[in-house]
Amino acid sequence: MAVVTAAVIPSRPRALAVHAGPRALAWLRERGLQPADVRAVPAAAGGAKGLVLNPLDRWLFGHWLPQAAGAAPVHLLGASVGAWRMACALLPDPVAEFTRMAEGYIDQRFDTAPGQLPTAAEVSRVFAANLQLQFGGREAALLQHPHWHLHVFTSRGRGPLLRREGRLRTPLGLAGAAAANLLHRRALGGWMQRVVFSDARLALPVPLTDFSSRQVTLTPDNFHPAMQASGSIPFVLQAVHDIPGAPPGAYWDGGITDYHLHLDYAGMPEGLVLYPHFQHRVVPGWLDKPLKHRHRASAKLDNLVVLSPRPDWVATLPGGKLPDRIDFKAFWHDPAERIRRWRAAVSAAQQLADEAADWLAKPTQDALPL
C-alpha cells in the first residue's frame, strides 16, 4: 500500500532585524526600550519602499508610542513619503490613517494617453489631490498634537541653475549638484539647501551643521506646499516654488539632501531615536546611493535604534523585493498586477509589526551594531 506523506511547507523566515548605535546598544541591554525613552522618530524617503513599514507604523503610533503620552515631546522627522507617513501619525486615528495612506498610494491612477507614462504635471496633480484627501481641513489640528511634533524636510535649489525649475537648467543644475556631492557632501550645500519646516512650538532638537540648512515654521498655510515639495522627485514631479513663509525658490524632494535622514542624533540632549526603516543602512542623501563608503554608520547614530526587514524575508515578497517606484513603469500596462504585489507585500509585512511587538516586550533587548 502506498504511503502518503504530508507536504512540508517551509515556514517564513524571521522578518525583523534590529540594529543600534553604541549608546543605544548599551541602553537596550541594561534597560530595554520603553515608549518614554523615545525622543525622535525619523522616516526616510524611498517612495513605495515605505509601504512595507505600514503595519509597523500602525502598531507603533496606534498602540505602543501612545503609552508614553505626556512623558516628553517626541519629534517626527520625515522626508518625501516619510513626511506623509509622519503627518498621518498626528491625525486622531493613526491606525485608520496609515491604512488609508497605503490604500491611496497603492491605488494611484493617472490620466494619460494610451501607452504614455504620466507627465510630471499629472503626477504632481495626483499627489496634491491625495494630500488634500488625507489632510484637508485638519492641518491646524495636526500641528497642535499634544505630544508629537512634525518636521518636514525639503531641498531648495540654489544658484542660477536650480533657483527656478527649467527644462534645461534643472538637469544641468542637478548634474552640478551630483558632481559637487561626489567631491564632498558638504559641497552639495552650494547647490541645494536643506529647508526644514518645523512645528512652531518646539525647535528640531538635532543639530544641522553638516551643510547649508534653514528652519522655517510649519503652519496651516504652508503645510500642503511643504508636503508637496518634500515628495517632489525631480523630473517625476514638478518643483514647488515660493512656499509661504520660506525663502523664495524652487523646492524639491527632501530625499535629495536627506534620503535616509542621517543626522546628528547623538547631539540630542537625551533619549533614544527609534527608526522604522526599510533597510538598516542609513544613507545620507539620494546622490549618495552609489557611494557605498557613505553608507557606513557614524558617531552621529550613537543613540539610534533601527527596526528593518531582514533581506532573506524581503526575498519572500512578490518579485523577491520591496515595492518600488520603478514598479509603476514595469507594470504600466498591467497596473492590477502591481497593485496585487504591493497589497501582498503590505499584508506580509504584518509579520514585521508582530515581531517588533514581541521584541519590545522583552525586559532587555538584543540588537546588532549598526
Side-chain angles (χ1 to χ4, degrees), residues 165-189:
E165 187 174 31
R167 186 172 61 87
L168 294 178
R169 65 170 61 180
T170 300
L172 289 173
L174 290 174
N181 184 73
L182 186 63
L183 179 66
H184 196 284
R185 175 161 161 77
R186 186 178 292 274
L188 175 63

Side-chain angles (χ1 to χ4, degrees), residues 40-318:
V41 181
K49 294 182 181 73
L51 288 170
V52 79
L53 301 172
N54 192 264
L56 183 55
D57 284 338
R58 295 198 303 262
W59 184 78
L60 285 173
F61 288 101
H63 302 287
W64 192 72
L65 283 170
Q67 296 174 38
V74 179
H75 296 268
L76 310 184
L77 292 62
S80 196
V81 72
W84 191 355
R85 287 170 49 213
M86 294 300 94
C88 285
L90 298 168
L91 294 172
D93 186 350
V95 174
E97 297 299 340
F98 278 117
T99 301
R100 182 181 182 187
M101 176 195 171
E103 284 298 313
Y105 195 102
I106 290 169
D107 288 338
Q108 287 182 88
R109 306 282 181 154
F110 303 99
D111 186 8
T112 62
Q116 297 294 314
L117 291 171
T119 64
E122 171 63 9
V123 180
S124 292
R125 181 192 69 80
V126 171
F127 183 37
N130 283 338
L131 291 176
Q132 183 63 34
L133 282 172
Q134 186 113 45
F135 303 109
R138 300 192 284 178
E139 301 86 355
L142 71 85
L143 293 177
Q144 292 298 317
H145 192 283
H147 312 299
W148 301 339
H149 302 265
L150 181 64
H151 306 271
V152 177
F153 283 65
T154 67
S155 303
R156 172 178 170 255
R158 308 183 78 184
L161 293 177
L162 290 177
R163 64 188 176 195
R164 312 299 292 182
E165 187 174 31
R167 186 172 61 87
L168 294 178
R169 65 170 61 180
T170 300
L172 289 173
L174 290 174
N181 184 73
L182 186 63
L183 179 66
H184 196 284
R185 175 161 161 77
R186 186 178 292 274
L188 175 63
W191 297 81
M192 284 282 183
Q193 182 181 49
R194 170 198 288 135
V195 179
V196 186
F197 292 80
S198 291
D199 186 314
R201 297 168 297 170
L202 281 178
L204 182 70
V206 180
L208 300 177
T209 57
D210 49 343
F211 64 89
S212 177
S213 303
R214 183 127 175 204
Q215 292 194 61
V216 173
T217 299
L218 182 62
T219 70
D221 289 336
N222 63 24
F223 174 84
H224 282 275
M227 292 285 290
Q228 179 92 10
S230 188
S232 291
I233 304 166
F235 312 119
V236 179
L237 290 90
Q238 295 173 319
V240 177
H241 289 84
D242 304 332
I243 298 175
Y251 288 76
W252 279 281
D253 195 291
I256 300 174
T257 55
D258 293 285
Y259 186 45
H260 293 170
L261 297 155
H262 190 134
L263 305 174
D264 187 9
Y265 300 111
M268 292 172 53
E270 59 183 4
L272 297 181
V273 179
L274 181 63
Y275 196 169
H277 195 10
F278 49 78
Q279 63 179 54
H280 85 271
R281 295 294 184 191
V282 182
V283 181
W286 190 84
L287 296 170
D288 297 318
K289 287 172 66 176
L291 307 179
K292 301 298 184 184
H293 63 286
R294 295 189 188 173
H295 298 191
R296 295 191 293 264
S298 71
K300 297 176 180 180
L301 309 183
D302 189 39
N303 56 339
L304 188 71
V305 179
V306 178
L307 310 181
S308 65
R310 293 172 176 265
D312 55 345
W313 177 84
V314 170
T316 69
L317 298 178

Side-chain angles (χ1 to χ4, degrees), residues 297-350:
S298 71
K300 297 176 180 180
L301 309 183
D302 189 39
N303 56 339
L304 188 71
V305 179
V306 178
L307 310 181
S308 65
R310 293 172 176 265
D312 55 345
W313 177 84
V314 170
T316 69
L317 298 178
K321 67 178 188 65
L322 297 172
D324 194 279
R325 182 169 52 84
I326 63 173
D327 294 340
F328 278 115
K329 183 178 291 187
F331 296 101
W332 186 247
H333 297 290
D334 189 6
E337 177 60 14
R338 173 188 62 78
I339 290 171
R340 184 196 69 79
R341 290 185 177 212
W342 285 10
R343 283 185 175 154
V346 173
S347 178
Q350 181 60 44

Side-chain angles (χ1 to χ4, degrees), residues 4-75:
V4 178
T5 58
V8 177
I9 302 175
S11 60
R12 294 181 69 88
R14 288 176 60 195
L16 182 72
V18 183
H19 293 78
R23 191 193 336 161
L25 271 175
W27 184 303
L28 295 175
R29 290 167 181 167
E30 292 172 9
R31 293 182 268 180
L33 182 62
Q34 302 300 320
D37 299 331
V38 177
R39 294 292 185 274
V41 181
K49 294 182 181 73
L51 288 170
V52 79
L53 301 172
N54 192 264
L56 183 55
D57 284 338
R58 295 198 303 262
W59 184 78
L60 285 173
F61 288 101
H63 302 287
W64 192 72
L65 283 170
Q67 296 174 38
V74 179
H75 296 268

